[in-house]
Amino acid sequence: MSKVIIIGGGAAGMFAAVRAAECGHKVDLYEKNEKLGKKIYITGKGRCNLTNACDMEELFESVCSNKKFLYSAFYGYSNQDVIAFFEKHGMKTKTERGNRVFPVSDHSADVIDALRRAMREQGVQVHLNTEVKSLLVEKTEPISEEKTGDEITAQKHSGKKAKKRMDPQQILGIQLTDGTRISADAVIVATGGCSYPSTGSTGDGYRFAEECGHSVTPLFPSLVPINTREAYAKQLQGLSLKNVSLSVFDGKKCLYQDFGEMMFTHFGITGPLVLTASTVVGKKLREKELQIKLDLKPALTKEQLDARLLREFEAGNKKQFKNVIGSLFPAKLTPVMIEQSGIAPEKRVNEITKEERQTLIGWIKEFPLTGTGLRDYNEAIITKGGVTVKEVDPSTMESKLVKGLYFAGEVLDLDAVTGGFNLQIAWSTGYAAGSSVK
């Protein structure tokens, strides 16, 4: 039996705790908040989309960063295993559109309760309101940094910089903010990222990793709303659109295109389409503005749309444009489309020219917005970036630099699109870490 410390009482941390305890270890979980699972509680608008019931191929396709690293973890503990776990621990699930899995109750608190029950059954000791300040490690078998003359000469001629060399290290335990030092045979860091800092995700795990010699890739908010420049976007605040197509361009190059739901806000746009787009174009959007185009009628070609407009106009005959166009759009969108089309609201539809009709069609099929940047971590569902996976064993989640140190969940450089895939990463990596403790 080993003494295992889990840092972080979120999805990955609780799952790792349950699994390590099932494997016969003594497990203590430390959470700096007053309760467990604060981020789980707010996910999915309080419903918690806990995984996705898709096939394995789609599961991998939905991962944005380092999907190959997750091969062992996903096959070791799949989405179906996750569903079975929660059903076993008294929480019924249901599958909705897009294979998204939720608690039958639609209450995210039930997910946390199931995890809490599982930890209690396995004897996990939970320490709330207890913040970890640092990891305790020691060097083992020091490696000499001295090089021979031949090695130095070869390095100079190669033109390559010397790689940072780390002495092998071993975990000893943790130190709390009050100075208490607690020993352990293994420590699993599951502190989350930087998103929703109000839930306690303040990037502590990245600091722990770097202090042990690990590299952390650049971090930025992801699955996050996008700021836009146009005044008419603010006019549309609160308007939700379904069955639209959204494309993001850098000049003529299309960086992202998909179909689904989105919503206008006081600062720009959000919703499933936009959040997923942010994972793909976020890095580029931090460097420069990008053009966003909405197809409000993606089921129709321009020719089909023109034919429909003609039918609407013929049916309205002598009616004014403003009284006919309302049948095509939601009420909040109608005045914006009238203004941007350049067609006078009082103009009779039988007087509208072909050129004016084509301008209107252009706005319907390519409604333009300018993406100026991402919202911050307060509105981001996840953090993109993290502990570089090259320094972590993909089968065990153990550090390659520090014996007995493991990472799980968002603290790693792993992320996926919306739909329950990010929580699946947390469950699978947490299970792998908990299973691998020696």
Side-chain angles (χ1 to χ4, degrees):
M1 176 190 292
S2 294
K3 182 177 180 181
V4 181
I5 286 175
I6 315 286
I7 309 176
M14 286 191 280
F15 222 69
V18 171
R19 182 54 184 161
E22 284 178 344
C23 292
H25 303 300
K26 182 182 184 303
V27 180
D28 286 82
L29 183 150
Y30 292 85
E31 168 56 52
K32 66 180 179 181
N33 287 316
E34 76 285 359
K35 60 183 179 181
L36 297 166
K38 288 187 77 170
K39 190 172 178 182
I40 294 175
Y41 189 77
I42 62 174
T43 58
K45 297 180 180 178
R47 297 176 62 215
C48 189
N49 177 194
L50 57 106
T51 188
N52 194 287
C54 64
D55 59 29
M56 195 60 73
E57 182 179 355
E58 185 178 343
L59 194 62
F60 281 106
E61 288 175 355
S62 301
V63 176
C64 300
S65 303
N66 300 309
K67 61 185 68 180
K68 290 183 179 179
F69 177 85
L70 286 165
Y71 188 89
S72 293
F74 275 178
Y75 277 104
Y77 205 82
S78 70
N79 46 0
Q80 298 303 321
D81 292 325
V82 169
I83 294 169
F85 171 89
F86 284 102
E87 294 276 354
K88 175 185 175 182
H89 289 91
M91 194 200 80
K92 298 296 182 183
T93 63
K94 61 180 178 179
T95 303
E96 297 186 358
R97 182 175 52 83
N99 287 317
R100 298 174 184 229
V101 180
F102 294 89
V104 164
S105 65
D106 283 333
H107 294 146
S108 55
D110 289 351
V111 175
I112 302 167
D113 288 343
L115 290 164
R116 191 184 290 115
R117 281 194 298 272
M119 287 193 294
R120 188 165 53 244
E121 290 169 6
Q122 295 300 327
V124 175
Q125 295 297 309
V126 176
H127 307 267
L128 300 176
N129 295 304
T130 309
E131 185 172 355
V132 176
K133 179 182 180 181
S134 61
L135 301 180
L136 303 176
V137 298
E138 70 170 353
K139 292 182 180 180
T140 60
E141 302 176 11
I143 297 175
S144 173
E145 292 293 328
E146 295 180 3
K147 292 186 175 71
T148 65
D150 289 342
E151 287 176 319
I152 294 171
T153 302
Q155 182 179 305
K156 284 181 178 178
H157 285 300
S158 71
K160 296 179 181 179
K161 292 183 178 180
K163 292 183 179 179
K164 179 176 69 174
R165 298 177 67 176
M166 292 297 302
D167 289 340
Q169 300 177 88
Q170 181 173 316
I171 198 76
L172 292 179
I174 60 172
Q175 181 172 329
L176 305 181
T177 52
D178 66 3
T180 304
R181 296 164 71 93
I182 303 168
S183 63
D185 300 300
V187 174
I188 300 176
V189 176
T191 49
C194 299
S195 56
Y196 294 138
S198 61
T199 65
S201 298
T202 51
D204 298 340
Y206 305 132
R207 175 172 56 82
F208 297 156
E210 289 180 324
E211 288 173 352
C212 293
H214 275 279
S215 305
V216 175
T217 64
L219 307 170
F220 57 92
S222 194
L223 289 183
V224 65
I226 294 176
N227 292 313
T228 59
R229 175 184 296 142
E230 289 75 12
Y232 50 73
K234 293 182 180 180
Q235 289 178 248
L236 297 171
Q237 179 181 347
L239 173 64
S240 293
L241 297 176
K242 295 182 179 181
N243 303 321
V244 297
S245 176
L246 182 146
S247 304
V248 184
F249 291 86
D250 179 9
K252 293 183 179 180
K253 183 179 180 181
C254 183
L255 304 178
Y256 171 85
Q257 194 280 323
D258 206 353
F259 173 88
E261 302 177 21
M262 60 157 291
M263 184 175 77
F264 289 94
T265 70
H266 66 284
F267 56 76
I269 52 177
T270 188
L273 263 181
V274 178
L275 299 182
T276 299
S278 76
T279 70
V280 179
V281 306
K283 185 176 181 180
K284 182 67 70 174
L285 195 53
R286 295 173 73 212
E287 302 168 358
K288 62 192 297 188
E289 295 184 348
L290 299 175
Q291 295 306 306
I292 300 169
K293 295 181 180 179
L294 304 178
D295 186 344
L296 304 175
K297 302 288 182 182
L300 302 175
T301 64
K302 288 186 177 181
E303 292 73 22
Q304 291 170 329
L305 183 55
D306 191 26
R308 177 172 174 187
L309 285 177
L310 286 172
R311 289 197 301 272
E312 295 284 346
F313 291 174
E314 287 170 5
N317 197 8
K318 296 182 180 181
K319 288 184 178 180
Q320 293 179 330
F321 177 53
K322 65 181 181 182
N323 295 325
V324 174
I325 192 175
S327 63
L328 292 171
F329 309 108
K332 206 163 193 175
L333 182 57
T334 299
V336 172
M337 296 302 291
I338 291 174
E339 180 182 357
Q340 299 305 323
S341 72
I343 302 172
E346 293 78 18
K347 190 169 188 176
R348 297 188 184 281
V349 292
N350 59 3
E351 297 174 354
I352 292 175
T353 66
K354 180 179 180 181
E355 289 72 23
E356 288 174 322
R357 210 169 60 243
Q358 291 305 310
T359 299
L360 175 59
I361 289 171
W363 272 85
I364 296 172
K365 296 296 288 182
E366 295 185 348
F367 188 93
L369 295 164
T370 305
T372 58
L374 302 173
R375 301 296 283 178
D376 62 21
Y377 283 116
N378 290 308
E379 298 175 57
I381 294 176
I382 60 166
T383 303
K384 198 172 187 72
V387 177
T388 182
V389 297
K390 291 180 180 179
E391 297 167 356
V392 178
D393 187 318
S395 298
T396 64
M397 300 299 140
E398 186 175 16
S399 164
K400 293 179 180 179
L401 307 180
V402 183
K403 184 180 179 183
L405 175 62
Y406 300 77
F407 297 97
E410 195 178 343
V411 71
L412 289 161
D413 183 16
L414 301 167
D415 64 276
V417 300
T418 57
F421 301 104
N422 287 287
L423 272 176
Q424 181 61 47
I425 291 174
W427 311 131
S428 293
T429 56
Y431 184 89
S435 299
S436 304
V437 171
K438 301 176 180 65

